């Protein structure tokens, strides 16, 4: 059988990589074709490098300050052509990016079955996260094989009327990727980062979401300044997303604050090791919410809603939004109160056991050998 795997941004590529590598281990059963839209450029390439992947097709669609409509139309035309050229038996995509939704649509237009990895995540709020909630719901309507990471995700799909026999709880492939990379030794090149990482009091911060552009991002920056002022032993490491809309706020706000290290988005390998060395993680990212608890790090989520409530239910993550006082207060609690910290840090990660890709491959194989 022929499987076309599609990805295009940093997170969907990290989470697709274990599945691509697993399918490639069975060349007698399946041919794997990897197509990337190039919705991200630099941030995509570094992930491909980390997993030693070379795409068979690269649509290279990214432009500076691209709009959602531009990503959608350019990726749709490109993927339609790739599907016609390669005639796959199955198209696979991961998650909730615009690349994911477009991959499902292109598969549908060509009447090719579609498999959705990380299916069933929901906030049930149309605009939060924007446009991801609708991207994943639209992909879900088209999907034939739903690979749900957790029972919560499966229940969301059942509630929407998806047939139980089309849903498979596999765990999240992000844990497969993480365990693979975290096991590799790493030393940071930059002396300041090395020192922060070894201090035991480093806070790792990431923020890029559309809902947080503008004022909320300024609030996050102000909260960081206050945390730094109140804790002379704390350093904040902030990899700043490549998007100029994010950079235009973050650099002026935090560029000259002592003990705040604004760095380029690191490659995936050093990023995983930054998470491993962090004391606390502040983030609005989806994937980081899943990864940090696996590494025993408390996560404060800089959003109002999350489609990943498992970490919040389990107690390893807390939703804090972007209110300055709340961010500062919750961070201070973790910095000052060891038992609160230990309670969050010691919780078992609810997102997977590192074998999700293996399960996904087995399900595909048995479905297509019928
Ligand atoms: C995208 C996904 C989001 C995911 C995020 C992870 C969509 C609509 N959004 O958001 O779900 O959480 O990726 O990062 O699918 N840029 C570069 N180089 C890069 C990457 C981005 O210069 O390697 C800049 C470009 O100016 C680009 C901008 O970032 O126009 C925004 O990229 P885009 O993919 O539209 O949105 P993200 O915010 O990255």
């Amino acid at each position: 059988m022929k499987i076309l795997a599609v990805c295009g941004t940093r997170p969907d590529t990290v989470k697709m990589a274990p599945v691509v590598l697993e399918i490639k281990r069975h060349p007698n059963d399946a041919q794997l074709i990897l197509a990337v839209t190039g919705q991200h450029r630099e941030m995509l390439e570094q992930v491909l490098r980390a997993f030693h992947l070379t795409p068979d097709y690269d649509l290279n669609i990214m432009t500076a300050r691209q709009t959602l409509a531009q990503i959608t139309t350019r990726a749709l035309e490109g993927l339609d052509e790739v599907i016609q050229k390669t005639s796959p038996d199955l198209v696979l995509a991961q998650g909730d990016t615009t690349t994911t939704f477009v991959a499902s649509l292109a598969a549908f237009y060509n009447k090719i079955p579609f498999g959705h990895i990380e299916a069933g995540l929901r906030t049930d709020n149309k605009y939060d996260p924007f446009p991801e909630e609708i991207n994943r719901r639209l992909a879900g309507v088209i999907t034939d094989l739903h690979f749900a990471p957790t029972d919560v995700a499966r229940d969301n799909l059942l509630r929407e009327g998806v047939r139980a026999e089309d849903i498979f709880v596999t765990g999240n492939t992000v844990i497969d990727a993480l365990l693979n990379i975290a096991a590799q030794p790493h030393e940071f090149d930059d002396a300041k980062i090395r020192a922060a990482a070894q201090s035991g009091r480093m806070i790792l911060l990431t923020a890029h979401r559309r809902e947080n552009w503008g004022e909320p991002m300024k609030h996050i920056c102000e909260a960081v300044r206050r945390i730094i002022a109140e804790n002379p032993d704390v350093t904040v490491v902030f990899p700043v997303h490549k998007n100029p809309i994010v950079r235009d706020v973050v650099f002026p706000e935090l560029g000259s604050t002592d003990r705040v290290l604004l760095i380029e988005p690191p490659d995936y390998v050093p990023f995983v090791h930054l998470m491993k060395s962090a004391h606390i993680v502040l983030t609005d990212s989806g994937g980081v919410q899943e990864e940090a608890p696996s590494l025993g790090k408390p996560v404060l989520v800089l959003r109002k809603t999350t489609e990943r409530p498992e970490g919040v239910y389990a107690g390893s993550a807390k939703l804090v939004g972007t209110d300055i006082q709340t961010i500062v207060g919750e961070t201070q609690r973790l910095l000052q109160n060891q038992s609160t910290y230990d309670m969050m840090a010691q919780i078992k990660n609810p997102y997977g056991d590192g074998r999700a890709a293996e399960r996904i491959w087995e399900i595909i194989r048995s479905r297509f050998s019928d």
Side-chain angles (χ1 to χ4, degrees), residues 9-11 39-44 62-68 71 96-99 130-132 135 208-210 213 241-244 286:
T9 68
R10 178 173 51 182
Q39 178 179 336
H40 283 172
R41 194 66 276 161
E42 304 90 322
M43 289 181 6
L44 170 70
M62 193 188 97
T63 53
R65 296 181 192 264
Q66 58 199 357
T67 65
L68 295 172
I71 305 173
D96 56 17
T97 67
T98 298
T99 289
F130 173 84
E132 289 84 359
N135 281 345
H208 74 278
R209 302 211 85 88
R210 281 178 159 73
W213 288 356
H241 191 288
K242 286 278 182 194
N243 193 340

Side-chain angles (χ1 to χ4, degrees), residues 139-161:
V141 171
I142 293 172
T143 298
D144 302 282
L145 294 175
H146 302 259
F147 301 110
T150 65
D151 292 344
V152 173
R154 180 201 51 209
D155 293 347
N156 289 338
L157 291 167
L158 289 173
R159 220 180 36 235
E160 289 172 12

Side-chain angles (χ1 to χ4, degrees), residues 31-48:
Q31 181 195 352
L32 188 281
I33 304 160
L34 176 61
V36 301
T37 58
Q39 178 179 336
H40 283 172
R41 194 66 276 161
E42 304 90 322
M43 289 181 6
L44 170 70
E45 262 147 31
Q46 48 104 340
V47 178
L48 293 171

Side-chain angles (χ1 to χ4, degrees), residues 10-309:
R10 178 173 51 182
D12 63 6
T13 308
V14 166
K15 292 174 170 188
M16 179 60 88
V19 179
V20 168
L21 294 172
E22 181 64 28
I23 298 173
K24 277 176 179 272
R25 289 185 0 169
H26 303 274
N28 294 332
D29 299 319
Q31 181 195 352
L32 188 281
I33 304 160
L34 176 61
V36 301
T37 58
Q39 178 179 336
H40 283 172
R41 194 66 276 161
E42 304 90 322
M43 289 181 6
L44 170 70
E45 262 147 31
Q46 48 104 340
V47 178
L48 293 171
R49 261 199 318 275
F51 293 95
H52 311 289
L53 293 175
T54 312
D56 300 290
Y57 294 89
D58 185 343
L59 305 178
N60 199 17
I61 64 164
M62 193 188 97
T63 53
R65 296 181 192 264
Q66 58 199 357
T67 65
L68 295 172
Q70 284 167 336
I71 305 173
T72 306
T73 50
R74 295 173 57 144
L76 184 60
E77 282 186 352
L79 286 176
D80 188 48
E81 246 175 63
V82 172
I83 290 176
Q84 286 176 19
K85 223 184 266 174
T86 55
S87 309
D89 301 295
L90 175 71
V91 175
L92 281 180
Q94 191 285 340
D96 56 17
T97 67
T98 298
T99 289
T100 313
F101 154 57
V102 172
S104 71
L105 187 60
F108 170 68
Y109 284 163
N110 289 281
K111 299 204 171 127
I112 310 286
F114 180 74
H116 190 199
I117 302 168
E118 197 184 71
L121 275 62
R122 299 290 183 267
T123 59
D124 291 321
N125 180 335
K126 184 173 170 184
Y127 292 109
D128 196 351
F130 173 84
E132 289 84 359
E133 175 72 4
I134 292 299
N135 281 345
R136 60 191 168 220
R137 282 206 239 170
L138 293 173
V141 171
I142 293 172
T143 298
D144 302 282
L145 294 175
H146 302 259
F147 301 110
T150 65
D151 292 344
V152 173
R154 180 201 51 209
D155 293 347
N156 289 338
L157 291 167
L158 289 173
R159 220 180 36 235
E160 289 172 12
V162 177
R163 297 187 319 171
E165 58 266 40
D166 296 332
I167 310 174
F168 307 88
V169 178
T170 60
N172 199 309
T173 57
V174 77
I175 307 299
D176 306 26
L178 178 76
L179 298 181
N180 169 348
I181 300 285
Q184 301 172 17
H186 182 75
E187 181 150 354
F188 298 107
D189 298 333
D190 185 315
K192 280 191 191 157
I193 295 185
R194 231 177 9 249
Q198 283 163 4
S199 71
R201 298 286 278 178
M202 184 259 279
I203 296 178
L204 178 65
L205 164 65
T206 79
H208 74 278
R209 302 211 85 88
R210 281 178 159 73
E211 311 86 82
N212 282 343
W213 288 356
E215 277 308 303
M217 192 70 72
K218 283 190 186 162
H219 291 171
I220 294 170
C221 294
E222 173 59 25
V224 166
R225 277 195 297 270
R226 292 196 199 168
I227 292 164
I228 284 289
E230 287 180 35
N231 301 279
D233 58 344
V234 164
T235 305
V236 172
V237 176
F238 186 175
V240 189
H241 191 288
K242 286 278 182 194
N243 193 340
I245 300 172
V246 173
R247 298 184 156 226
D248 288 352
V249 174
V250 172
F251 282 110
E253 288 282 330
L254 290 175
S256 53
T257 309
D258 272 354
R259 287 180 286 118
V260 176
L261 304 178
L262 300 181
I263 61 173
E264 288 301 313
D267 283 8
Y268 188 59
V269 179
F271 184 74
V272 166
H273 288 272
L274 273 177
M275 281 191 285
K276 233 175 129 176
S277 328
H279 185 56
I280 301 168
V281 177
L282 301 185
T283 191
D284 66 4
S285 147
V288 177
Q289 283 177 63
E290 294 154 346
E291 292 165 321
S294 283
L295 299 169
K297 308 299 171 180
V299 189
L300 299 179
V301 182
L302 304 166
R303 293 173 49 183
K304 288 196 217 74
T305 59
T306 181
E307 59 289 274
R308 292 168 171 89

